[in-house]
Amino acid sequence: AEMGTDLLATMQRQGLRRLPVLDDDGRLQGLVTLDDLLALIAEQMHGVVQAIQAGPRRERRVRP
């Protein structure tokens, strides 16, 4: 998650929509796009929402 945040910050700072992914020898392996990062963030937010929604249900089971 932190790497995605760093990539997003780099894209915003430099005004880019894609960044190259290089191997250790500097050869292009692919691209990370803004859409890739937004999909990752959306997936993470979905997990957060599920955890928030599960909290009250779990508390009702535990509390009398």
Side-chain angles (χ1 to χ4, degrees), residues 10-27:
T10 298
M11 288 176 161
Q12 289 174 325
R13 191 173 48 254
Q14 297 183 12
L16 302 171
R17 291 187 55 82
R18 10 182 138 54
L19 290 173
V21 176
L22 307 176
D23 66 13
D24 291 337
D25 296 321
R27 292 184 297 245

Side-chain angles (χ1 to χ4, degrees), residues 3 6 9 13 19 21 26 31 34-35 37 40 44-45 47 60 62:
M3 181 183 290
D6 292 344
R13 191 173 48 254
L19 290 173
V21 176
L31 294 172
L34 183 57
D35 290 343
L37 294 178
L40 176 63
Q44 291 173 343
M45 290 305 299
R60 280 193 295 271
V62 174

